[in-house]
Amino acid sequence: MELLRRGARRLVGSRSAHSSPGSGVAVAGPDAVEVGSRWLRVGDGYAATLAVTGYPAEVGAGWLEPLLSYPGRLDVALHIDPISPAVAAKRLRKQQGRLESTRNSSAEKGKLDDPETEAAAADAADMAFALARGESKLFRVGLYLTVHAVTEEDLDAEVSEVRSLASSLLLDAQPASWRSVQGWTSTLPLGVDLLGMRRTLDTPALAASFPFTSPDLPTADPSPHAPLTGRLYGGNASSNGLVLFDRWSQDNYNSVVLATSGAGKSYLTKLEALRSLYPDPHRPAPEGEVPVQVFVIDPEDEYQRLAEAVGGAYLHLGAPGVRLNPFDLPPGAQKIPDALTRRSLFVHTLLAVMFGESLTPQEAAVLDRAVTAAYASVGITADRRTWSRPAPVLADLEAALVADSADGGDPAGAELAARLTPYVSGSFSGLFDGPTTTAPDGHLVAISLRDLPDELKSVGTLIALDAVWRRVLDPHHRCRRLVIVDEAWLLMRQPEAARFLYRLAKTARKYWAGLAFVSQDAGDVLSSDLGTAIVSNAATQVLMRQAAQAIDAIADAFRLSDGERAYLLAAGIGEALLIAGLYRVAFHALASDEEDELITTNPEFLAGIPADDEDGLEP
């Protein structure tokens, strides 16, 4: 097995065609190769190969990244051959025997303990135990570096730079003297190792050699045999490595994504949602379940193709006959002592958002009595045994308010009832004129708000988020849940809705849920105390391209350096800065062709999808 970085495109000089008679196959290669003791002249340039003969005792994640991101022309080849467990165990026993013999000989001669021998003995013992338990395997690994330059003088300088860089990594890189052709060939994408200068590495050390982890981010488990966890976010912007990140290993599972329109925030969010459904070999889910249940509040129908492709549920809130009753009690309400009280409090929040202002104390008192009366009208009381009965609807609340104000009662009830008329029997009644039609349940549930009029966007977002949260509170079904609120500024415009979102952000972790807050109005979010609090309660923060008008507020809130500030102002589509506590890494989103087809909103691509093939899966 071979890992090659930039090897396939490092042949220099003009191209010439070499082919066997009748084959018709042309092979690109240099015109000529001049061989020296420590260098090759390949076409119009020079190359020299270094073989790594000494390695550090311990390595961390992404330890080869400085070599892989070297600014000059450098080919890095890693040749890997697995060793069978039986042979590995035999060799370890011999090695332990040699080390123990060396220690005994030194002790008999009265010599002091050799630290290197002691460390090697301890490492061999640990490796033997890991191999016996099946936690690790052994591999023979060869690491070779080929340096390129235009002139022989430049080559000497580049070789010195690379050897110094290797020394800083505690690697001993030696020139392949008198074997320059074999060294150069070993770093070509041919899969052959003609140098044969190998070192035995175990699985964790070899895994850390691959550019699949970022040293800029913390690992969930720093132990040497811990498996790599997390989801691929993209490529590291400052190196050739990849950024893997696990939101479920953070202090809380919330995240915030702030970007201008068109910066790629929805693309990145959809990519994470899709990859959250992929099986996790290190955290297997029960049979028939997915690792993470994903809920999406979708304001613009951007998640429909994705939901249909993965067999998820998609609700068009606001379409004829599609309703979510805000009076519904959560599943398993009998096991939640204050479930009815929570529903009453949510109705207060809902009416405040409907009316666009907070209720007065007098209105709140009247509403509280009316909510209790509305539930009682359908047989739901403080007795938990009644909580399984069908819930009331908004018309029942209106009737309770009218009854409360009748016969000399509080006039505030009649005024509230009058203000509810558009939602009960008027223009906005389609959203509230009956019980829930479709329960939001499935491994991926997207609730669309596109069919709602602008006047109901905030109300619809709140109702959809509340319906999702009732599923999160279900005590009968515990699993990781990711709740995505796209275009969250729709809720942040309403103080009561913003407070509701803040409460969810504070309590999400208790229910093994993460709230993903996605917004394009970073300035408006950070200008309010609740918005700042929501951002502060997100352990994962992703910043994408920012407008010049909002960069000052962003820089102050996230304590950006001048370089990070400039990066966000000039960031391209899909480029982002990931912040996790004290750790920061810049990356660009990466998606496969299949993933891109499901999540892209490119108008040119979408225009090419046939009308009868809305999910885009057919050619």
Side-chain angles (χ1 to χ4, degrees), residues 12-327:
V12 297
S14 61
R15 298 177 60 185
S16 60
H18 307 280
S19 59
S20 58
S23 67
V25 178
V27 179
D31 291 330
V33 175
E34 180 182 349
V35 181
S37 60
R38 291 192 177 187
W39 51 265
L40 288 174
R41 185 174 182 181
V42 184
D44 296 331
Y46 289 81
T49 301
L50 303 173
V52 176
T53 58
Y55 293 79
E58 296 182 1
V59 295
W63 65 281
L64 276 183
E65 279 209 16
L67 287 175
L68 299 175
S69 58
Y70 182 73
R73 299 186 61 188
L74 177 66
D75 296 341
V76 181
L78 191 66
H79 294 265
I80 305 167
D81 286 326
I83 303 175
S84 67
V87 175
K90 183 178 180 180
R91 292 182 180 178
L92 277 175
R93 284 195 297 270
K94 288 184 178 180
Q95 182 67 9
Q96 286 181 286
R98 295 191 190 100
L99 293 172
E100 189 62 30
S101 176
T102 301
R103 295 168 65 184
N104 291 339
S105 176
S106 299
E108 290 174 358
K109 296 178 182 179
K111 296 182 179 180
L112 295 175
D113 293 337
D114 183 4
E116 293 186 1
T117 302
E118 295 295 329
D123 291 342
D126 292 341
M127 194 176 297
F129 283 121
L131 186 66
R133 291 191 295 264
E135 297 176 352
S136 181
K137 294 182 179 180
L138 297 185
F139 302 86
R140 285 175 42 86
V141 176
L143 178 59
Y144 311 120
L145 315 172
T146 294
V147 186
H148 295 266
V150 178
T151 65
E152 189 174 352
E153 292 76 12
D154 291 341
L155 181 64
D156 292 338
E158 289 288 337
V159 168
S160 298
E161 290 286 341
V162 173
R163 293 191 69 179
S164 298
L165 177 60
S167 297
S168 68
L169 301 175
L170 301 182
L171 295 173
D172 186 9
Q174 296 296 332
S177 301
W178 304 106
R179 303 182 67 188
S180 51
V181 174
Q182 292 88 337
W184 176 60
T185 305
S186 298
T187 57
L188 292 177
L190 303 175
V192 294
D193 179 8
L194 301 182
L195 291 179
M197 304 179 71
R198 301 297 186 96
R199 170 69 179 266
T200 301
L201 297 182
D202 61 357
T203 303
L206 180 60
S209 305
F210 282 74
F212 295 162
T213 57
S214 173
D216 305 304
L217 294 174
T219 56
D221 187 351
S223 62
H225 301 293
L228 296 176
T229 60
R231 301 296 177 182
L232 174 64
Y233 272 51
N236 195 317
S238 58
S239 71
N240 291 324
L242 301 177
V243 175
L244 272 75
F245 185 72
D246 186 6
R247 72 159 62 228
W248 305 102
S249 66
Q250 305 306 303
D251 294 338
N252 62 62
Y253 316 132
N254 299 335
S255 66
V256 59
V257 180
L258 300 177
T260 58
S261 178
K265 61 183 181 304
S266 294
Y267 188 95
L268 178 62
T269 303
K270 284 184 282 188
L271 189 60
E272 183 187 9
L274 177 59
R275 289 174 176 169
S276 296
L277 302 177
Y278 295 166
D280 189 340
H282 305 299
R283 291 170 177 163
E287 186 176 355
E289 296 187 7
V290 292
V292 179
Q293 187 178 21
V294 180
F295 296 96
V296 184
I297 310 300
D298 179 12
E300 293 295 339
D301 275 5
E302 292 189 47
Y303 293 78
Q304 181 175 3
R305 295 172 52 251
L306 174 60
E308 293 175 351
V310 301
Y314 200 82
L315 281 70
H316 286 272
L317 199 61
V322 179
R323 296 182 299 271
L324 292 173
N325 185 11
F327 290 86

Side-chain angles (χ1 to χ4, degrees), residues 480-501:
R480 289 188 178 91
R481 291 184 172 95
L482 178 61
V483 182
I484 300 172
V485 185
D486 208 342
E487 303 298 351
W489 59 270
L490 292 172
L491 280 179
M492 297 306 297
R493 295 184 304 182
Q494 299 285 348
E496 290 295 332
R499 278 190 282 270
F500 179 78
L501 199 61

